[in-house]
Amino acid sequence: GQNIDQPTEMTATEGAIVQINCTYQTSGFNGLFWYQQHAGEAPTFLSYNVLDGLEEKGRFSSFLSRSKGYSYLLLKELQMKDSASYLCALETNAGKSTFGDGTTLTVKP
Amino acid sequence: DSGVTQTPKHLITATGQRVTLRCSPRSGDLSVYWYQQSLDQGLQFLIQYYNGEERAKGNILERFSAQQFPDLHSELNLSSLELGDSALYFCASSVGTGGNEQFFGPGTRLTVL
């Protein structure tokens, strides 16, 4: 299987930095996605990591370590609009994606 | 606006019925994906089509089927509906078959009574 674990909820303060972790157990995968989903809306793509290391895109960065079965999403300079659910998903060699249950982030003033 | 359209937006039906959900991908995207999102199961991948051919299959029930037409729009057919099929159904599209950014449609909210 591809058990994917994320914390259920996190709270952070506006302007701060938060790291959302994702751990997984799988025999093989193409890459790892991160999505943002606001309540009642569709997910939106944030990042896709294939190689180990950090990929930075504006205020958001994503890290992958295949050997450790671990990824994280780093959000800097938090804004109130960053309050959302963040989904980690593995894309397998077969082309399908398996999602974690998501982490609900609440940003407080 | 992602460029992906889904109809209808809402659907209310009864157990045992059959419904069809429709998705039009972004212009130029060849892949279409279908997902189900319910409160107790999170986001689940159902099936992917690429340029008219089935590319990958998730835990899609036998009561569910999908196809992608020559104009690249896709339909998801749900039959013998059960209460547990009530969920948000998302369609997404991407340029290629994998590792590409997926653009999600607004979803169809299905309620089975």
Side-chain angles (χ1 to χ4, degrees):
Chain A
Q2 299 172 320
N3 298 332
I4 300 172
D5 291 311
Q6 302 179 235
T8 304
E9 296 178 331
M10 296 184 72
T11 303
T13 306
E14 193 175 14
I17 299 173
V18 72
Q19 178 174 311
I20 302 174
N21 295 328
C22 171
T23 58
Y24 57 86
Q25 295 170 344
T26 182
S27 55
F29 64 101
N30 276 352
L32 187 144
F33 285 104
W34 281 97
Y35 291 89
Q36 180 191 61
Q37 186 175 24
H38 286 98
E41 298 182 9
T44 55
F45 170 90
L46 293 177
S47 65
Y48 180 72
N49 291 67
V50 175
L51 302 175
D52 283 5
L54 187 68
E55 300 231 355
E56 297 184 72
K57 195 188 285 187
R59 294 189 300 113
F60 292 8
S61 303
S62 58
F63 172 85
L64 176 65
S65 169
R66 285 178 178 264
S67 60
K68 294 182 179 176
Y70 167 66
S71 172
Y72 66 73
L73 180 70
L74 193 70
L75 293 75
K76 302 176 188 173
E77 300 168 19
L78 280 172
Q79 303 175 8
M80 299 298 289
K81 67 178 182 180
D82 296 330
S83 292
S85 182
Y86 291 86
L87 306 170
C88 162
L90 291 176
E91 184 183 57
T92 67
N93 294 327
K96 64 182 187 181
S97 294
T98 302
F99 286 77
D101 290 338
T103 299
T104 300
L105 174 67
T106 302
V107 180
K108 295 187 173 178
Chain B
D1 184 359
S2 67
V4 178
T5 60
Q6 288 186 249
T7 56
K9 202 167 182 177
H10 300 280
L11 198 47
I12 301 174
T13 188
T15 54
Q17 296 298 305
R18 173 191 167 95
V19 297
T20 298
L21 312 184
R22 182 189 168 101
C23 168
S24 291
R26 287 190 327 152
S27 176
D29 284 357
L30 297 179
S31 271
V32 168
Y33 308 77
W34 285 98
Y35 296 91
Q36 178 193 58
Q37 188 170 40
S38 58
L39 284 174
D40 59 345
Q41 291 216 336
L43 195 61
Q44 303 281 323
F45 168 79
L46 295 178
I47 198 163
Q48 178 202 2
Y49 281 83
Y50 176 76
N51 204 21
E53 300 289 327
E54 182 183 302
R55 173 76 171 77
K57 212 167 185 176
N59 296 326
I60 187 168
L61 299 172
E62 285 193 12
R63 300 184 286 108
F64 295 3
S65 64
Q67 54 183 329
Q68 186 180 28
F69 295 87
D71 67 352
L72 300 177
H73 92 271
S74 178
E75 292 181 356
L76 178 67
N77 299 296
L78 314 175
S79 61
S80 303
L81 284 168
E82 302 175 358
L83 296 177
D85 297 328
S86 295
L88 253 179
Y89 291 84
F90 288 110
C91 164
S93 73
S94 69
V95 171
T97 58
N100 300 117
E101 178 172 354
Q102 293 183 28
F103 296 86
F104 281 73
T108 293
R109 182 169 292 283
L110 173 66
T111 302
V112 182
L113 300 175

